[in-house]
Amino acid sequence: MRFRPVSDVTVALRADGTLELLVRHTGRRVVIDEPSAAMWMALRQHNGDVDLAAEALAPHWNRAPDQLRRNLADFVEELCRARLMLPVQDLGPPA
């Protein structure tokens, strides 16, 4: 399954390597730490595909892809609970 940010979330990379997620319609801001920022960016680079994001990050973090896949799945679940990301069956081709 693939995931995408909700439509009104904007993202800003901060100088300290963290990401600030802003939900425009509520004004809610969420700051995620550097490892989570890397996971967010990997998910976005791989069209929301957890498996591909894990494969991409694993060699950089010296971790097994399966272990990282579990971490990414937990991260995405947390983002979905926070209403920052949504599951999508078919995102179509990348924009």
Side-chain angles (χ1 to χ4, degrees):
M1 182 175 286
R2 295 174 187 262
F3 297 85
R4 67 166 179 82
V6 295
S7 61
D8 65 340
V9 170
T10 58
V11 180
L13 179 61
R14 297 165 42 144
D16 62 1
T18 60
L19 280 183
E20 181 177 78
L21 310 176
L22 170 64
V23 182
R24 289 188 303 256
H25 81 277
T26 65
R28 183 171 145 229
R29 295 180 187 276
V30 176
V31 176
I32 57 177
D33 62 15
E34 289 177 64
S36 297
M39 288 191 280
W40 176 279
M41 289 186 275
L43 285 163
R44 298 298 294 138
Q45 289 169 347
H46 295 282
N47 204 25
D49 188 306
V50 172
D51 294 330
L52 292 177
E55 293 287 335
L57 287 173
H60 299 287
W61 289 1
N62 296 318
R63 308 255 312 269
D66 286 342
Q67 182 183 20
L68 195 50
R69 193 172 291 110
R70 286 188 296 274
N71 295 126
L72 271 163
D74 291 343
F75 176 63
V76 167
E77 183 179 322
E78 184 179 324
L79 291 171
C80 288
R81 277 196 311 268
R83 296 187 178 151
L84 295 168
M85 236 180 207
L86 298 169
V88 177
Q89 291 298 327
D90 181 10
L91 293 175

